[in-house]
Amino acid sequence: MDRSRDVRDRTKKPIFPADFQWGVATSAFQLEGSPNADWATWDPVLGDIPQITNHFALFREDLKLLKELGVNAYRFSIEWSRIQPREDTWDGEAITHYQEIIDILRSYNIEPMVTLHHFTNPRWFLERSPWHRFASIEKFLRYTEMMVSTLRNVRYWITFNEPYVILIGGYLDGCTPPGFRDVPRSLVALQNIFTCHGKAYDLIHRYVPDAQVSVAHNMSVFAPWKKWNPLDRLLKKSANYFYNHSIINAFRTGVFIVKFPFSREVEIEVPIKGKLDFFGVNYYTRVHLRFNPFKKMGVELRYADIDGHGLTNLGWEIHPRGLAKVLRYASRLDVPIIITENGIAAFDSEEKVKYMKRHVDIVERCLKDGLDVRGYYYWTLIDNYEWLQGLDARFGLYRVDFKTLKRSPTSAATYYSYLIQSRSKI
Ligand code: BGC
């Protein structure tokens, strides 16, 4: 580790409040698969690695890692297809399993944040009532009610992880289930998913009056590939509006105004006005946009190492300043902000250390500027399965040997513990 950086950190006056949430985030399917999930058969790679890190059996040991790190918050997801493997079957043992996770976290003084939906669906749901069908609303709410009425001691709830990514992957690009490229269906799915959020918000508050509920929204910074090209600039403007601002406006007004480039504007009403106790922001990168008539919707995504911080294992640009930008956008909502994911895929853990430090520095600056940021969750605890990329992305603070399933700390784990201690007010 670079010692000069340590010394500089220690001499800084801590400014993170004592109750700031220092966490890590995970998702169930990415750690442990699930035989009844739609993704289990969607990506052929999963046929060879059905249990991935086998976290489902090894969770007690993995939760000890959280204690070792010294985090005070943990975001994890419930795998819907384990709770409800068939539409008419609720699996009591699976519910007990998640309750045990919560109980262990509480015994460690770690605040649980539960994500109800992190990309995967039970297979029966996808076959019968995917998100563009009206029936999806009732199915999701039944599952939500089962969870909030049975799980004890959870205050923080995320209804959907990255609803826009579900829509883009599943309904516009077609690379994720249900695999459509269909704008009208994507708009119906958007309405159904956000209707679920609005109704789930009320349901959660009915059972847990002091609950804190949000979505975890993926935010990115966009730039034109060539500044001189008006079409690239138009794409940048549309993407920034749609990806970052349309959801903020919808939570303020109850109306989504969707305007894709080269098509007419659509207004969609959704019952979500004010249905947000904090705003969960997932931030990773900046995306350059290039007009290309041969690509879907005329858009080509590009990444370039403009700041000189490098690219990640997935080829994404490392752009810490962008975090400040999206946090400023998010502050328009006038609710506290929690960074529900931020992390890097890298083989070299020193790259992780640098990434983490640069982004936490930005959070610190935003706090000084008066933004109401209440937490930072690093993605992710241990190496896992990355959607459509397999096992090589290496986002973990702990490295997993996928042959022996042994977990070993990287220097980023040590650094995160140190950062938590040195940056927090006592
Ligand atoms: C998702 C995670 C994913 C991470 C890295 C986030 O957008 O919520 O599931 O692993 O990005 O790609």
Side-chain angles (χ1 to χ4, degrees):
M1 213 189 276
D2 171 3
R3 295 291 152 200
S4 57
R5 183 189 52 229
D6 287 3
V7 172
R8 214 182 66 205
D9 274 357
R10 263 188 227 114
T11 56
K12 268 191 176 172
K13 195 162 159 258
I15 79 133
F16 284 87
D19 61 354
F20 188 82
Q21 293 189 350
W22 292 102
V24 292
T26 62
S27 89
F29 188 87
Q30 288 177 273
L31 288 172
E32 62 200 21
S34 172
N36 296 308
D38 50 1
W39 268 87
T41 45
W42 183 264
D43 185 349
V45 164
L46 287 160
D48 300 326
I49 45 161
Q51 293 165 343
I52 310 177
T53 71
N54 203 15
H55 174 75
F56 197 73
L58 303 176
F59 70 99
R60 291 185 194 86
E61 283 70 36
D62 289 339
L63 295 179
K64 280 191 196 138
L65 303 178
L66 296 171
K67 210 178 159 195
E68 192 173 289
L69 282 169
V71 296
N72 61 7
Y74 177 54
R75 174 178 171 224
F76 65 99
S77 74
I78 294 177
E79 176 51 46
W80 182 5
S81 64
R82 287 193 190 268
I83 300 291
Q84 210 179 347
R86 285 174 296 284
E87 190 169 359
D88 55 1
T89 310
W90 298 97
D91 184 333
E93 274 180 31
I95 299 178
T96 309
H97 170 88
Y98 290 108
Q99 185 61 54
E100 191 179 343
I101 294 182
I102 295 160
D103 294 345
I104 294 175
L105 293 172
R106 286 281 175 217
S107 77
Y108 292 166
N109 273 325
I110 295 177
E111 184 75 44
M113 180 185 280
V114 169
T115 308
L116 288 166
H117 187 276
H118 197 123
F119 293 164
T120 49
N121 304 297
R123 217 172 293 168
W124 60 261
F125 174 86
L126 192 83
E127 282 156 14
R128 275 179 234 161
S129 28
W131 296 111
H132 62 282
R133 302 242 166 86
F134 189 64
S136 60
I137 301 174
E138 185 256 331
K139 314 276 180 220
F140 180 77
L141 291 174
R142 271 186 78 209
Y143 155 64
T144 300
E145 183 154 21
M146 179 56 91
M147 292 298 93
V148 277
S149 63
T150 50
L151 294 180
R152 296 175 311 276
N153 293 326
V154 181
R155 268 189 81 211
Y156 285 84
W157 296 86
I158 297 283
T159 52
F160 288 92
N161 181 66
E162 303 185 346
Y164 279 24
V165 175
I166 302 173
L167 294 167
I168 293 169
Y171 287 90
L172 293 174
D173 182 80
C175 60
T176 64
F180 291 121
R181 288 182 192 170
D182 183 330
V183 174
R185 271 189 185 150
S186 77
L187 299 177
V188 180
L190 177 140
Q191 187 163 36
N192 290 342
I193 288 177
F194 282 95
T195 301
C196 283
H197 170 82
K199 288 178 182 276
Y201 178 93
D202 293 340
L203 201 51
I204 296 170
H205 277 276
R206 200 179 311 148
Y207 285 92
V208 186
D210 66 342
Q212 297 290 301
V213 183
S214 180
V215 292
H217 181 57
N218 187 290
M219 298 187 89
S220 274
V221 172
F222 296 95
W225 179 243
K226 296 287 177 219
K227 282 198 187 111
W228 51 259
N229 186 333
L231 289 171
D232 292 0
R233 287 207 306 272
L234 173 69
L235 290 179
K236 182 242 150 168
K237 203 168 157 217
S238 308
N240 190 31
Y241 166 72
F242 172 65
Y243 210 71
N244 295 322
H245 292 286
S246 65
I247 186 169
I248 293 173
N249 294 346
F251 274 114
R252 287 164 63 101
T253 61
V255 182
F256 273 99
I257 300 179
V258 182
K259 170 97 187 74
F260 292 127
F262 321 115
S263 64
R264 72 189 167 82
E265 194 171 286
V266 182
E267 283 192 15
I268 300 170
E269 281 190 34
V270 274
I272 62 167
K273 185 173 169 187
K275 304 263 156 117
L276 207 58
D277 301 304
F278 68 95
F279 192 51
V281 172
N282 295 352
Y283 175 78
Y284 288 89
T285 190
R286 165 165 66 183
V287 183
H288 282 78
L289 300 171
R290 182 186 192 195
F291 175 71
N292 181 340
F294 302 107
K295 294 277 176 183
K296 267 163 259 158
M297 300 177 98
V299 193
E300 186 182 335
L301 307 189
R302 297 206 146 202
Y303 300 94
D305 182 15
I306 308 275
D307 293 349
H309 295 321
L311 302 174
T312 75
N313 269 0
L314 296 177
W316 300 350
E317 182 189 4
I318 300 169
H319 182 59
R321 273 182 302 128
L323 177 59
K325 211 177 226 182
V326 299
L327 292 179
R328 234 167 276 130
Y329 295 159
S331 67
R332 281 209 296 123
L333 279 161
D334 286 328
V335 292
I337 302 166
I338 295 181
I339 299 156
T340 36
E341 284 182 34
N342 174 243
I344 175 176
F347 286 111
D348 177 355
S349 50
E350 283 305 303
E351 291 299 315
K352 286 184 192 163
V353 169
K354 280 192 226 149
Y355 185 98
M356 186 191 285
K357 182 183 183 314
R358 286 183 177 132
H359 286 81
V360 169
D361 281 348
I362 294 285
V363 180
E364 192 169 78
R365 202 174 315 145
C366 290
L367 284 175
K368 279 189 191 147
D369 290 348
L371 293 193
D372 189 5
V373 184
R374 304 273 178 100
Y376 174 88
Y377 287 63
Y378 191 79
W379 180 271
T380 184
L381 181 61
I382 62 176
D383 290 337
N384 62 5
Y385 161 74
E386 175 61 20
W387 314 104
L388 304 173
Q389 310 277 343
L391 300 180
D392 287 334
R394 301 286 174 184
F395 276 96
L397 292 174
Y398 289 79
R399 192 174 174 83
V400 175
D401 175 331
F402 285 104
K403 286 207 187 80
T404 62
L405 297 188
K406 190 172 170 333
R407 284 75 159 138
S408 332
T410 67
S411 54
T414 323
Y415 184 69
Y416 195 32
S417 305
Y418 163 74
L419 202 60
I420 295 170
Q421 283 173 20
S422 60
R423 299 286 180 106
S424 311
K425 286 184 185 163
I426 316 259

